[in-house]
Amino acid sequence: MPERRPSRTEEGDVTLSFPISHAGKPVAVAPLTLTAAEAEQLHAALCHALAGHPPPDDAPACRQPCGRTVVRWP
């Protein structure tokens, strides 16, 4: 789970950080910076991987059913 929401750098890249844990205990926070194109590819890959699976109860609102037709890509 990201520690904070992704943000844009001055160069237009997308940056976020992930907590790293071992045996359930936090040990570090790892920064991740992606180009906009890499972030789009990751977004598409995650959407594809999550497609067809019901979201958990604590999923973000964007993953909750909205009653409209969903187009799957690719």
Side-chain angles (χ1 to χ4, degrees), residues 10-61:
E10 289 182 18
E11 296 79 23
D13 293 337
V14 177
T15 184
L16 61 153
S17 57
F18 287 94
I20 299 172
S21 61
H22 178 71
K25 296 181 182 179
V27 295
V29 175
L32 176 64
T33 301
L34 303 167
T35 65
E38 290 168 334
E40 290 288 351
Q41 290 174 345
L42 177 59
H43 179 259
L46 291 171
C47 287
H48 184 72
L50 292 169
H53 299 278
D57 293 336
D58 61 346

